[in-house]
């Protein structure tokens, strides 16, 4: 096996008592430049709820970290021993995972997790890089993600053009109206006119649910605050009428862009499908 720390058959036991099971083991040069470390990570609670996934929260399924910051983590002993190609599984408290990996003192930013939860963490080690190699690696990931997004949007646009009429197009956003407005447009108090109210569902283009407004409750956005609504939502609210229900394909540049959303499990450069009803505008 490539790592030689307290081996017990196909696993190692770290000084903190955590047992790490190896699924794949490689050999490597332990003296290589370790400025950055790149992994594919999946972390789930014991009942199977996904807390973190490189697939849904990182650029092209690759989560990148400063190597020195990982050594400060309670699992630093493991990271010192890992080689490119190693795949491991271990269980640790969620608080240890979140504080150690993401240097975040709160579990609030992570779905379906409490500080007392134990997480099963699967980790596939991809590479160590120096500054120069990491920059080139990141550019490759960005280019790949952009090409994949463009292909997904193009395929969905072609699909829609064969199924629907009256498609509204705005840059790379396109939408259809699935229900007509039937609202009584009576005069509203000034305080109500200050807000946009919408009800909506967001999925990825594979129909994985990302976010849904609760029940029949609407979400309200202050018109005076420019950064409250996603740009794609602004386009749809401006174009359609109160009471209209819309389905739209929204490019990442009008949604969560190159950063994605850790909270909502949206990877960078992810196009979205939005089902939206405009309650007031």
């Amino acid at each position: 096996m490539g790592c030689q720390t307290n081996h017990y058959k196909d696993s190692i036991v770290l000084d903190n008592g955590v047992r790490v099971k190896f699924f794949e083991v490689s050999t490597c040069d332990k003296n290589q430049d370790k400025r950055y470390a790149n992994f594919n990570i999946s972390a789930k609670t014991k009942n199977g709820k996904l807390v973190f996934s490189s697939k849904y929260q990182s650029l092209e399924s690759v989560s990148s970290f400063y190597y020195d910051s990982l050594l400060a983590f309670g699992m630093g002993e493991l990271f010192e021993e890992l080689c490119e190609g190693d795949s491991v599984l271990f269980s640790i408290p969620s608080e240890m995972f979140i504080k150690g990996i993401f240097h975040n003192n709160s579990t609030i930013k992570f779905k379906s997790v409490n500080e007392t939860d134990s997480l099963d963490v699967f980790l596939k080690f991809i590479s160590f890089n120096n500054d120069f190699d990491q920059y080139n690696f990141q550019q490759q990931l960005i280019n790949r993600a952009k090409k994949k997004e463009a292909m997904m949007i193009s395929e969905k646009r072609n699909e829609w053009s064969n199924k629907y009429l009256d498609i509204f197009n705005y840059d790379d956003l396109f939408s259809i109206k699935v229900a007509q407005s039937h609202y009584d447009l009576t005069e509203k108090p000034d305080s109500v006119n200050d807000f946009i109210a919408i009800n909506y569902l967001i999925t990825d283009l594979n129909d994985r649910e990302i976010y849904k407004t609760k029940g029949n409750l609407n979400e309200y956005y202050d018109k005076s605050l420019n950064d409250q609504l996603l740009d794609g939502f602004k386009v749809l609210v401006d174009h359609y009428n109160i009471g209209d229900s819309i389905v739209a394909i929204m490019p990442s540049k009008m949604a969560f862009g190159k950063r994605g959303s850790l909270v909502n499990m949206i990877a960078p450069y992810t196009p979205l499908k939005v089902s939206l009803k405009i309650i007031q505008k």
Side-chain angles (χ1 to χ4, degrees), residues 151-183:
M151 181 182 69
M152 293 173 71
I153 290 176
S154 177
E155 289 177 351
K156 189 62 68 173
R157 188 187 295 275
N158 290 337
E159 177 188 327
W160 278 36
S161 66
N162 292 323
K163 291 173 62 176
Y164 305 120
L165 299 174
D166 299 324
I167 298 174
F168 168 65
N169 290 277
Y170 183 95
D171 202 350
D172 286 330
L173 178 151
F174 48 99
S175 62
I176 55 169
K177 181 163 58 178
V178 295
Q180 185 74 32
S181 60
H182 295 289
Y183 268 52

Side-chain angles (χ1 to χ4, degrees), residues 180-192:
Q180 185 74 32
S181 60
H182 295 289
Y183 268 52
D184 180 11
L185 301 180
T186 56
E187 189 69 24
K188 298 183 179 66
D190 289 341
S191 59
V192 174

Side-chain angles (χ1 to χ4, degrees), residues 138-152:
Q138 287 287 323
Q139 290 304 118
Q140 291 172 10
L141 295 179
I142 290 170
N143 291 336
R144 193 193 312 168
K146 288 181 176 179
K147 288 180 181 178
K148 184 168 73 175
E149 179 184 13
M151 181 182 69
M152 293 173 71

Side-chain angles (χ1 to χ4, degrees), residues 31-275:
N31 296 317
Q32 70 186 106
D33 193 345
K34 298 179 180 179
R35 172 70 168 164
Y36 296 91
N38 300 294
F39 301 97
N40 180 284
I41 303 173
S42 174
K44 296 181 179 179
T45 62
K46 294 299 182 182
N47 60 5
K49 291 183 178 179
L50 192 63
V51 174
F52 178 84
S53 170
S54 296
K55 178 179 180 180
Y56 298 130
Q57 290 161 290
S58 300
L59 181 63
E60 286 296 281
S61 300
V62 179
S63 299
S64 301
F65 306 92
Y66 285 111
Y67 179 67
D68 287 347
S69 70
L70 292 177
L71 296 185
F73 174 37
M75 302 286 289
E77 180 187 357
L78 171 64
F79 294 115
E80 284 186 314
E81 295 297 329
L82 281 178
C83 297
E84 294 182 11
D86 285 350
S87 295
V88 298
L89 174 69
F90 51 89
S91 296
I92 57 174
S94 61
E95 185 178 20
M96 182 179 179
F97 175 75
I98 293 169
K99 287 184 178 179
I101 294 286
F102 300 99
H103 302 284
N104 191 314
N105 292 323
S106 173
T107 58
I108 294 174
K109 289 187 176 181
F110 293 81
K111 289 186 174 182
S112 306
V113 63
N114 299 310
E115 290 187 358
T116 56
D117 286 339
S118 177
L119 301 181
D120 291 330
V121 181
F122 177 80
L123 186 151
K124 170 76 173 179
F125 180 43
I126 298 170
S127 66
F128 285 127
N129 282 331
N130 58 30
D131 287 326
F132 178 78
D133 290 338
Q134 184 68 14
Y135 174 80
N136 289 333
F137 180 59
Q138 287 287 323
Q139 290 304 118
Q140 291 172 10
L141 295 179
I142 290 170
N143 291 336
R144 193 193 312 168
K146 288 181 176 179
K147 288 180 181 178
K148 184 168 73 175
E149 179 184 13
M151 181 182 69
M152 293 173 71
I153 290 176
S154 177
E155 289 177 351
K156 189 62 68 173
R157 188 187 295 275
N158 290 337
E159 177 188 327
W160 278 36
S161 66
N162 292 323
K163 291 173 62 176
Y164 305 120
L165 299 174
D166 299 324
I167 298 174
F168 168 65
N169 290 277
Y170 183 95
D171 202 350
D172 286 330
L173 178 151
F174 48 99
S175 62
I176 55 169
K177 181 163 58 178
V178 295
Q180 185 74 32
S181 60
H182 295 289
Y183 268 52
D184 180 11
L185 301 180
T186 56
E187 189 69 24
K188 298 183 179 66
D190 289 341
S191 59
V192 174
N193 287 328
D194 290 339
F195 292 89
I196 294 168
I198 54 177
N199 192 289
Y200 63 95
L201 165 69
I202 298 177
T203 70
D204 63 18
L205 299 197
N206 294 316
D207 293 325
R208 174 179 66 94
E209 183 174 313
I210 294 172
Y211 181 83
K212 184 178 183 180
T213 48
K214 296 179 180 179
N216 294 321
L217 298 178
N218 303 317
E219 292 193 0
Y220 291 83
Y221 297 88
D222 191 333
K223 293 180 182 178
S224 66
L225 301 176
N226 293 326
D227 60 349
Q228 279 206 331
L229 270 181
L230 295 175
D231 288 345
F233 279 19
K234 293 177 184 177
V235 171
L236 296 173
V237 170
D238 286 346
H239 179 73
Y240 290 99
N241 297 317
I242 294 173
D244 286 348
S245 294
I246 307 121
V247 177
I249 302 300
M250 191 179 300
S252 63
K253 63 185 178 183
M254 295 186 188
F256 294 92
K258 63 182 181 181
R259 298 182 65 87
S261 172
L262 184 67
V263 177
N264 294 304
M265 290 194 174
I266 301 173
Y269 302 104
T270 296
L272 301 174
K273 179 180 176 182
V274 176
S275 300

